[in-house]
Amino acid sequence: METTQPTLPKDLQNSQVSQEFKDLTSSLPKNRGWVVPVVHQYQGFWHYDWQLQGVLSYQKHFQAQDTDILLVTTPKSGTTWLKAISFAITNRIQYHVASRDHPLIKNNPHVLVPFVEYVYADNPIPDFSAIPSPRLFATHVPYVSLPDSVHNSNCKLVYMCRNPKDLFVSLFHFANKLRPQHMGANSMEEVFELFCEGVSVYGPYWEHVLGFWNESLRRPKEVLFLKYEDMKAQPGIQVRKLAEFYGCPFTAEEEKEGIVESVLKLCSFESLSNLEVNKEGYLPTGQMNKAFFRKGEVGDWKNHLTAEMAERLDMITEHKFEGSGLKF
Ligand code: PAP
């Protein structure tokens, strides 16, 4: 049997949000959350309260620098993997990727590359001054809700998306792991309906993806759009693409030493999921690290969705992405 959280992680507890924030959200559209009872819609996307508190503070206070790198995903698109790979690439002078003391051996990738809105949710005015350049952050925030300073800077955005069928299945399992035992599991049919209506954390999924897809077409030098499936199929090509995009392509010498293979090995599902820290550890918010590692495969939806569900998701995706040039 899969283990669930002993208690609701801190970031999902309503007691963590201020009264001022509660007054503000009282006028926003509401719906049923997958883990918490209520989610609110802000600028067209669904958030649970602690997260939205962070998004608002992030919008208000974050000052982007042109050298910043922001990793963006909608949840369950391969965030943990992208964080690990990006951390390994951008810090490779300081931390040799084949070293047994590499920070990724002792730390979950979410600790090394934090979600910036969660940092703000915890502390409305965090101090980022000690972070060396290029600063590496992650976010799930949709394009429309990113801070103006991100929109107006030349900072680099990497967006990783994943096909909606696998993403839905991954999110379904993740949400059930986060729900403490006494709340019981969601039924797949119920949350499938919500997902199709766009009600998922940081959803609607399709609008989230399109926001960054369109921006990547408009500003290809600043916005790199990747797919989880391509990363699985051609990891070497994608890792080299990332290193180039970050302005630190691999040298001939590094290539000769097999750096690409070392990065991929260090960050592989097998390596990360078998580390002590990821089997036993918890994030500062209280989430179990192991919840971020399930199967790490493409096509697992076939084991979970009925033919009707798959067809419905395909039809919605085709309709929403029509004319955009984006396909799975
Ligand atoms: P997040 O957006 O909530 O941070 P994220 O890392 O995107 O989570 O989602 C976890 C998914 O990525 C899981 O997919 P699954 O449920 O279909 O299995 C997880 O297994 C997968 N994953 C985690 N690490 C890796 C990795 N190193 N390589 C490939 N897939 C991975």
Side-chain angles (χ1 to χ4, degrees):
M1 201 182 102
E2 284 182 342
T3 351
T4 49
Q5 286 282 142
T7 53
L8 204 55
K10 177 181 141 192
D11 57 348
L12 294 163
Q13 294 171 20
N14 228 9
S15 58
Q16 299 293 328
V17 298
S18 65
Q19 186 55 45
E20 186 191 352
F21 174 82
K22 284 183 192 162
D23 295 344
L24 190 87
T25 53
S26 60
S27 60
L28 295 177
K30 279 186 204 167
N31 215 314
R32 167 209 187 292
W34 295 32
V35 180
V36 293
V38 175
V39 287
H40 284 105
Q41 193 182 38
Y42 173 70
Q43 297 185 326
F45 292 84
W46 293 99
H47 303 270
Y48 57 86
D49 283 359
W50 187 81
Q51 166 195 315
L52 182 53
Q53 183 173 257
V55 172
L56 296 177
S57 185
Y58 175 38
Q59 286 186 330
K60 199 164 163 191
H61 299 295
F62 184 71
Q63 288 306 317
Q65 297 175 2
D66 284 345
T67 49
D68 284 349
I69 297 170
L70 197 52
L71 310 178
V72 196
T73 52
T74 187
K76 306 302 136 198
S77 305
T79 323
T80 313
W81 197 15
L82 180 64
K83 284 183 176 188
I85 290 175
S86 300
F87 182 89
I89 294 175
T90 55
N91 288 284
R92 67 187 192 270
I93 304 290
Q94 194 178 353
Y95 306 116
H96 195 281
V97 288
S99 159
R100 292 166 70 95
D101 294 327
H102 196 283
L104 279 163
I105 308 276
K106 288 272 160 62
N107 301 276
N108 180 274
H110 293 288
V111 169
L112 297 173
V113 188
F115 287 110
V116 67
E117 67 270 28
Y118 299 164
V119 176
Y120 277 98
D122 229 5
N123 173 1
I125 315 200
D127 180 8
F128 294 130
S129 61
I131 305 179
S133 164
R135 305 185 303 178
L136 190 58
F137 294 113
T139 187
H140 285 317
V141 171
Y143 190 77
V144 65
S145 299
L146 286 176
D148 287 345
S149 77
V150 172
H151 288 144
N152 298 332
S153 79
N154 288 323
C155 75
K156 291 190 163 128
L157 307 184
V158 177
Y159 189 79
M160 188 184 267
C161 76
R162 187 177 190 188
N163 82 75
K165 288 178 286 191
D166 280 338
L167 182 136
F168 166 75
V169 168
S170 184
L171 194 55
F172 167 74
H173 284 105
F174 186 72
N176 277 346
K177 276 182 207 159
L178 288 190
R179 286 167 70 89
Q181 253 154 13
H182 73 268
M183 285 173 74
N186 288 314
S187 82
M188 183 171 272
E189 290 67 27
E190 198 182 350
V191 287
F192 182 76
E193 206 49 48
L194 287 170
F195 186 79
C196 289
E197 287 163 17
V199 186
S200 57
V201 63
Y202 294 95
Y205 159 85
W206 298 273
E207 279 72 10
H208 198 290
V209 173
L210 278 175
F212 289 92
W213 169 253
N214 290 333
E215 208 49 30
S216 75
L217 298 180
R218 210 171 67 81
R219 296 194 296 137
K221 283 207 177 99
E222 282 94 29
V223 186
L224 177 66
F225 191 92
L226 303 177
K227 290 181 179 158
Y228 180 90
E229 292 73 21
D230 292 344
M231 188 68 101
K232 286 294 262 189
Q234 301 178 309
I237 293 178
Q238 305 302 319
V239 163
R240 288 186 183 92
K241 201 190 272 183
L242 276 171
E244 268 174 40
F245 185 72
Y246 294 149
C248 52
F250 300 121
T251 62
E253 202 174 323
E254 285 180 314
E255 286 280 1
K256 215 166 109 201
E257 284 174 7
I259 181 125
V260 174
E261 292 69 29
S262 299
V263 169
L264 289 172
K265 188 169 167 220
L266 175 69
C267 304
S268 72
F269 180 87
E270 289 67 33
S271 309
L272 293 182
S273 62
N274 282 307
L275 291 169
E276 193 63 21
V277 64
N278 293 327
K279 286 205 282 197
E280 305 293 340
Y282 287 81
L283 294 182
T285 47
Q287 290 186 21
M288 301 179 302
N289 289 345
K290 68 177 169 200
F292 294 92
F293 304 93
R294 193 181 62 92
K295 282 195 173 173
E297 288 170 7
V298 175
D300 186 44
W301 63 267
K302 292 184 189 122
N303 301 316
H304 297 276
L305 301 185
T306 63
E308 290 73 32
M309 284 168 142
E311 198 179 323
R312 183 159 167 212
L313 276 185
D314 283 345
M315 280 177 64
I316 297 175
T317 306
E318 205 173 304
H319 170 69
K320 295 261 190 183
F321 290 174
E322 196 180 350
S324 70
L326 179 58
K327 281 199 167 52
F328 282 102

